[in-house]
Amino acid sequence: MSSPMNGPMDGDRYGSAGSANRWAGEPMSEPAEGPATTADPVLLIRDVTKVYGEGEATVRALRGVSLTVERGDYVAIMGASGSGKSTLMNIIGCLDVPTTGTYLLGGADVGALDEVRLARVRNRRIGFIFQSFNLIPRMSALANVELPLAYGGVRAAERRRRALAALGLVGLSDRVGHQPNELSGGQQQRVAVARALVTSPTLLLADEPTGALDSTSTKDILAIFDRLNLGGKTIVVITHEDDVAAHAKRVVRLMDGRIVDDRRQAPVDGPPPLVDDRSPTGAMSER
Amino acid sequence: MNVLEISRFAVRGLTANKMRSVLTMLGILIGVAAVILLVAVGQGSSDSIKQRIQSLGANTLTVSASFSGGFGGPAGGRGGGGGAAGPRTQARGLTLEDARAIAASGDAPSVKSVSPVVTSSSATTTYEGASHSISQVVGTYPSYFEATNKPVTSGAYFTNQDVTAVRKVVVIGKTVADELFGQVDPVGKKVNIQGAAFTVVGVLKESGSTGGQDADDIAVAPLPAVQQSLTGYGSLGSIVVQATSAEVTDVAEAEITAILDQRHDVTGNATADYRILNQASLQETVTEATGTFTVLLAAVAAISLLVGGIGITNIMLVTVTERTREIGIRKAIGAPRGAILGQFLIEATLLSLVGGLLGVGVAVAGSQFTIAGVQPVIVPQSIVLALGVSVAIGLFFGSYPANRAAKLRPIEALRFE
Ligand SMILES: Nc1ncnc2c1ncn2[C@@H]1O[C@H](COP(=O)(O)OP(=O)(O)O)[C@@H](O)[C@H]1O
Ligand SMILES: [Mg+2]
């Protein structure tokens, strides 16, 4: 990004992505949805279960999971394939509903929200990164990143400014006009990260974000996560790779729908353990 | 997220698969164009029929002999002599006396003029080298011209003196003049009709009627002259009666009926041996018939519009299924249900609206040409109706797939392969 992003705030609810204070570790302006205070954990789930199917074909994907994630934490969820990681993540991301149990997001009960409010929560408070990128085909990188802002009701000029800033953050300023099929896997995932970031969500969720990437692209994504967490962003990432989990401050292990291990690797208010503390874009290779 | 924004998504969705969008629009285009054009054709033919009837003279009644209804009814006669439908006296043709009775009688105040008519068809006519078979030679009185709305462009009508003096003079139609004389002015020239020499005194104005029989292939001469040289002195072909105004044609019809019934001994339930053709009531009947015709055409066209609408549902369902994953992504990043619903509804409505507008264009262009011998006349209401219906079709047929898209749960949509 060539221009400094310190423009007037227009009075809307979003902080501007990529503005300098993000990197200084200041808490971001919270999109108010319910009586959230900084004291509330970002995420609090209690005794959540999820049962798929009925009768003979019943699968108990989650068998009572309780988890609290504090503001600024960086959590890796590990576990064998089929242990319920994705199921848990989809519930946290408000894409699916638990069979039983409660889920509080920033102190507000998600289960009590109607369809319209749920859409708003997905739009403003959660950034979701998928293993398979899930960009919309035949739309430029810029248009893809602008999309959440469009659904959030941000005006066109402001939207463009923030989308460009978010793409700058992930080192793709020179690829804004490219469509997904004109980008490498690593670049597509970085566009997806920019899209997840652009609304300044409270919580960044990633389901095996590096699962489809080579080692260099994996490093890029992990470096971005490290710096985002250093800037105060709460991150929950699913992975089955120890290398990825090593970047997190806390590692939670799932087995057969239960948490079997919860280990802290670094304090919540400190930097992530493997952060590469140089200039924001310097560490990123441009491909 | 305003409507404009959602419309932009919709346009992007449509342009992503141009061929499919164009083909879907084609269905609506054809439907709308068919509705407008067929209604225009119906209107055009109705207009031209009305015009043709009008050109015969709006307030005329034509009395002609009727021999139908059986001479005493052969079936009834055999079955047991004189059934309930009383056998009428021997049918008589119309005579000059009948015409005189109508004209002279003080019992027919609504009658303005009476013209007895005899006709001879396919009369071979020659002038110098040229020869032409006139399809209709009419022998009548001068009042015939006014009653049947036949003005002359050059020369004059023949007169009552011509009639009483049995002069062989003739007024010819445009076709006859063209065929026999070409560029030469026919007035004053002598033509030979079936061996008798007639002097042309006038040329009729072109009636301009289209289709069927050529109304300009006609020659009109004094009644006795035609009887003498062509038809003989038998009964009349018909009697053309002009009423004093269009409003009193029905009254005039009743007056004539009274006079003729008496003269022809038609009493009680006996069937009359003549019939009266009333232009005004004919026009009503024809207007009704063409109205039905137009409605039928419109109904056929409406079906094609419906088929186009089903095409929209079909394509929108395919689109929604194909883009289920995309819908899931949009929902995962916070698209509200209304935005998804709006996008697909607008896509469907755009398809039908653009298709409809193009259909109007095609119909307007197509109406410049004559179709099946009819010059279409566009009815503005049909444009409004067809466009309105096509937009309604887009909304109606688009709402099911759009609703399906909007109701998808994000995780189900994302898992969709
Ligand atoms: N939509 C579904 N319907 C039925 N069973 C499912 C569905 N999604 C996941 N499961 C089952 O739930 C269990 C947990 O799945 P998942 O959360 O995807 O595991 P992970 O992401 O850890 O590999 C698996 O046994 C899987 O087969
Ligand atoms: Mg998984």
Side-chain angles (χ1 to χ4, degrees):
Chain A
M1 292 313 299
S2 51
S3 61
M5 313 268 35
N6 289 332
M9 290 290 272
D10 293 326
D12 68 54
R13 268 172 284 200
Y14 295 110
S16 65
S19 66
N21 66 1
R22 176 69 59 77
W23 303 102
E26 285 176 22
M28 297 168 304
S29 59
E30 178 75 82
E33 187 82 51
T37 67
T38 36
D40 282 314
V42 173
L43 181 65
L44 193 155
I45 59 179
R46 189 167 300 127
D47 299 328
V48 160
T49 65
K50 180 74 185 177
V51 180
Y52 289 115
E54 283 167 18
E56 292 276 295
T58 299
V59 178
R60 299 180 64 195
L62 294 179
R63 299 163 186 250
V65 172
S66 296
L67 183 68
T68 306
V69 176
E70 298 299 331
R71 190 168 301 276
D73 209 348
Y74 185 174
V75 182
I77 296 177
M78 299 194 72
S81 182
S83 55
K85 306 185 295 291
S86 294
T87 303
L88 179 61
M89 195 62 123
N90 292 336
I91 290 171
I92 296 174
C94 298
L95 301 180
D96 208 350
V97 287
T99 308
T100 62
T102 49
Y103 169 25
L104 304 186
L105 187 67
D109 188 356
V110 172
L113 298 181
D114 61 17
E115 189 46 48
V116 176
R117 292 216 175 76
L118 265 182
R120 209 177 299 156
V121 166
R122 283 183 213 120
N123 184 241
R124 297 183 180 167
R125 305 186 60 180
I126 293 166
F128 212 114
I129 299 161
F130 302 88
Q131 178 175 354
S132 50
F133 321 140
N134 275 345
L135 298 178
I136 295 184
R138 288 189 293 269
M139 266 173 80
S140 70
L142 183 64
N144 262 289
V145 177
E146 277 188 20
L147 204 54
L149 295 176
Y151 285 127
V154 179
R155 279 179 299 109
E158 172 72 0
R159 199 194 299 169
R160 194 181 166 79
R161 192 174 70 77
R162 284 202 214 159
L164 286 171
L167 281 165
L169 266 180
V170 297
L172 282 178
S173 292
D174 55 342
R175 295 283 194 282
V176 295
H178 290 235
Q179 296 189 353
N181 60 356
E182 299 163 344
L183 296 170
S184 74
Q187 287 168 336
Q188 286 186 56
Q189 193 60 300
R190 281 193 272 156
V191 173
V193 172
R195 183 180 65 185
L197 283 177
V198 77
T199 56
S200 305
T202 328
L203 188 57
L204 197 62
L205 304 176
D207 189 348
E208 306 211 28
T210 61
L213 302 182
D214 60 36
S215 58
T216 332
S217 299
T218 298
K219 247 194 253 163
D220 290 345
I221 298 292
L222 291 176
I224 294 170
F225 282 7
D226 280 346
R227 284 197 311 283
L228 286 171
N229 182 245
L230 191 63
K233 182 77 73 195
T234 313
I235 299 176
V236 178
V237 60
I238 287 180
T239 184
H240 56 258
E241 296 169 63
D242 292 330
D243 296 351
V244 176
H247 284 256
K249 293 175 180 170
R250 175 183 174 195
V251 179
V252 174
R253 278 182 194 279
L254 271 183
M255 190 187 285
D256 294 336
R258 284 199 183 84
I259 294 179
V260 292
D261 186 28
D262 190 344
R263 191 161 42 84
R264 183 156 288 287
Q265 305 188 133
V268 177
D269 44 10
L274 298 183
V275 69
D276 179 359
D277 220 352
R278 284 178 294 168
S279 73
T281 51
M284 235 161 320
S285 55
E286 286 287 340
R287 254 164 296 110
Chain B
M1 201 70 207
N2 56 29
V3 175
L4 202 76
E5 207 85 60
I6 297 173
S7 306
R8 274 183 39 216
F9 288 149
V11 169
R12 205 177 288 174
L14 290 177
T15 49
N17 207 327
K18 291 196 188 65
M19 188 63 173
R20 181 194 289 174
S21 303
V22 166
L23 286 175
T24 311
M25 277 181 202
L26 198 61
I28 290 294
L29 186 159
I30 291 171
V32 168
V35 166
I36 297 173
L37 257 189
L38 290 186
V39 168
V41 167
Q43 184 68 33
S45 61
S46 153
D47 281 3
S48 92
I49 290 171
K50 264 189 231 162
Q51 201 185 341
R52 220 176 298 172
I53 293 172
Q54 216 115 54
S55 76
L56 296 175
N59 41 357
T60 57
L61 300 156
T62 307
V63 186
S64 52
S66 163
F67 299 111
S68 61
F71 294 83
R78 223 181 265 198
R88 75 184 182 197
T89 50
Q90 183 70 25
R92 275 174 284 172
L94 295 167
T95 61
L96 204 51
E97 281 65 45
D98 287 332
R100 289 216 179 96
I102 298 167
S105 173
D107 297 338
S110 304
V111 171
K112 188 177 175 192
S113 73
V114 179
S115 317
V117 172
V118 293
T119 55
S120 165
S121 52
S122 307
T124 308
T125 309
T126 56
Y127 170 71
E128 294 183 345
S131 170
H132 173 68
S133 175
I134 302 175
S135 66
Q136 206 185 18
V137 177
V138 175
T140 185
Y141 288 178
S143 55
Y144 176 82
F145 294 102
E146 193 200 325
T148 59
N149 195 12
K150 286 185 179 8
V152 290
T153 45
S154 67
Y157 303 128
F158 53 80
T159 62
N160 281 324
Q161 282 82 1
D162 292 330
V163 177
T164 41
V166 200
R167 287 198 193 106
K168 294 221 168 51
V169 290
V170 68
V171 176
I172 57 175
K174 182 78 166 48
T175 305
V176 181
D178 288 347
E179 290 289 329
L180 292 177
F181 297 94
Q183 297 298 321
V184 183
D185 181 11
V187 178
K189 305 284 188 308
K190 272 194 157 53
V191 294
N192 190 308
I193 304 176
Q194 298 279 72
F198 280 78
T199 307
V200 177
V201 293
V203 178
L204 293 172
K205 186 166 177 271
E206 189 173 8
S207 75
S209 64
T210 54
Q213 199 181 351
D214 180 4
D216 292 316
D217 193 7
I218 190 173
V220 186
L223 177 73
V226 173
Q227 285 178 317
Q228 187 185 67
S229 50
L230 296 168
T231 63
Y233 294 93
S235 56
L236 296 175
S238 60
I239 302 171
V240 174
V241 179
Q242 185 178 17
T244 49
S245 76
E247 287 74 45
V248 298
T249 49
D250 289 339
V251 182
E253 184 176 345
E255 292 166 358
I256 297 163
T257 308
I259 295 163
L260 290 182
D261 277 358
Q262 198 192 356
R263 289 184 54 80
H264 287 227
D265 304 325
V266 179
T267 50
N269 50 11
T271 321
D273 58 359
Y274 64 91
R275 64 200 146 108
I276 302 175
L277 186 72
N278 186 332
Q279 300 288 21
S281 62
L282 177 69
Q283 190 160 332
E284 251 166 58
T285 314
V286 169
T287 307
E288 250 169 57
T290 54
T292 314
F293 175 63
T294 305
V295 168
L296 271 179
L297 284 180
V300 170
I303 289 172
S304 79
L305 199 55
L306 183 75
V307 171
I310 293 170
I312 287 191
T313 316
N314 188 20
I315 284 304
M316 291 311 294
L317 278 176
V318 170
T319 303
V320 166
T321 310
E322 232 182 35
R323 282 158 61 190
T324 300
R325 230 183 129 78
E326 179 188 322
I327 295 166
I329 298 168
R330 286 176 185 270
K331 289 203 143 184
I333 61 173
R337 182 178 285 191
I340 301 286
L341 183 72
Q343 176 179 343
F344 285 95
L345 264 188
I346 291 174
E347 277 191 31
T349 308
L350 274 181
L351 278 177
S352 63
L353 183 64
V354 175
L357 283 173
L358 290 174
V360 170
V362 167
V364 168
S367 70
Q368 307 304 313
F369 304 95
T370 49
I371 296 166
V374 175
Q375 179 64 51
V377 177
I378 293 226
V379 184
Q381 292 96 308
S382 73
I383 294 186
V384 176
L385 190 76
L387 262 187
V389 166
S390 74
V391 170
I393 277 178
L395 281 172
F396 179 77
F397 286 96
S399 64
Y400 171 62
N403 240 314
R404 233 177 73 163
K407 277 215 213 93
L408 281 172
R409 295 213 288 138
I411 194 65
E412 283 161 0
L414 279 170
R415 281 207 195 101
F416 186 85
E417 289 303 330

